Amino acid sequence: MGFKGDPVRVLVVPGLHDSGQGHWQTWLEGHFKRSTRVRQDDWTRADLERWADRIDVTLSREPGTRWVAVAHSFGCLALARYLAHGGQGVHAALMVAPADPEKFAAGPFLPQSQLPIPSALLASENDPWMRLDSARSWARIWGSQFINLGAVGHINTESGFGPLPHAKTLVELMIQRVERQRRSARAHPLEFSFAI
């Protein structure tokens, strides 16, 4: 059970087919003590509600814990859906190379306004799963800081990632700021600026 003084932890939310040994999410997971991965019953079936429910089930095992969620591809859509239902436990989110909601008829089921937590969205100029202008548009809707990493494909193993130091830096900044907010007696909504 989580307590108010416990460290902020990292929640890894992979996309379709999970993130294998060479994937940046797995690399990132190894850098943060007591990080947790959301595990889907069926990694091949993009079921938005089921995937969002698995986030809820995962976090309900450790009530009171504060989480920074790190999602990739379809995992970003599942996380956004979870946040639309309140997002209990998640205090900041990094979304990397989201899948285009239109590919899954998921748009109407995602938040249509600013997310209830600080967030950043990393996108690519040549991502086959989401055009850059669409990624920018969703970042605007969700109030997420938008970061264009350039022509780097789907930001996955096939695109050459491996390690993703930008993601690690952003997660560290998010953790620090969530910790600061917790320590502040008069916590105000956080204004995030993730300069890297």
Side-chain angles (χ1 to χ4, degrees):
M1 181 176 210
F3 296 94
K4 287 189 177 178
D6 285 352
V8 177
R9 292 172 59 188
V10 173
L11 180 74
V12 175
V13 188
L16 288 166
H17 310 294
D18 199 3
S19 295
Q21 277 305 115
H23 197 282
W24 66 265
Q25 279 188 312
T26 304
W27 171 84
L28 187 75
E29 195 174 349
H31 279 82
F32 292 96
K33 190 176 179 180
R34 296 186 65 214
S35 58
T36 294
R37 179 178 296 229
V38 177
R39 307 219 175 254
Q40 300 298 334
D41 294 323
D42 185 350
W43 286 106
T44 65
R45 188 168 166 235
D47 184 321
L48 189 65
E49 289 301 328
R50 262 183 202 278
W51 282 48
D53 286 346
R54 289 301 299 171
I55 297 172
D56 186 40
V57 167
T58 302
L59 297 188
S60 68
R61 293 180 187 133
E62 302 191 56
T65 301
R66 292 173 181 242
W67 299 91
V68 169
V70 183
H72 180 250
S73 196
F74 189 76
C76 297
L77 307 188
L79 177 62
R81 181 64 177 163
Y82 176 70
L83 294 173
H85 289 303
Q88 185 67 31
V90 178
H91 288 257
L94 175 61
M95 294 174 283
V96 180
D100 192 333
E102 301 314 310
K103 290 182 185 288
F104 301 96
F109 305 100
L110 299 179
Q112 303 298 317
S113 59
Q114 185 167 332
L115 298 178
I117 57 169
S119 61
L121 192 154
L122 272 60
S124 164
E125 293 173 1
N126 61 343
D127 187 346
W129 284 93
M130 171 83 95
R131 291 189 333 271
L132 188 69
D133 60 336
S134 295
R136 187 181 281 111
S137 176
W138 281 105
R140 192 177 301 114
I141 289 167
W142 292 337
S144 303
Q145 181 173 351
F146 181 75
I147 300 169
N148 177 1
L149 291 184
V152 291
H154 192 44
I155 315 177
N156 59 0
T157 310
E158 291 74 19
S159 304
F161 302 87
L164 184 54
H166 286 320
K168 183 173 180 285
T169 299
L170 292 170
V171 170
E172 287 168 344
L173 285 169
M174 289 179 170
I175 289 171
Q176 289 168 12
R177 294 180 188 203
V178 171
E179 292 280 12
R180 271 204 300 273
Q181 182 191 34
R182 175 167 58 186
R183 287 194 299 266
S184 174
R186 300 185 202 123
H188 297 288
L190 296 179
E191 293 294 329
F192 276 78
S193 178
F194 303 114
I196 54 175

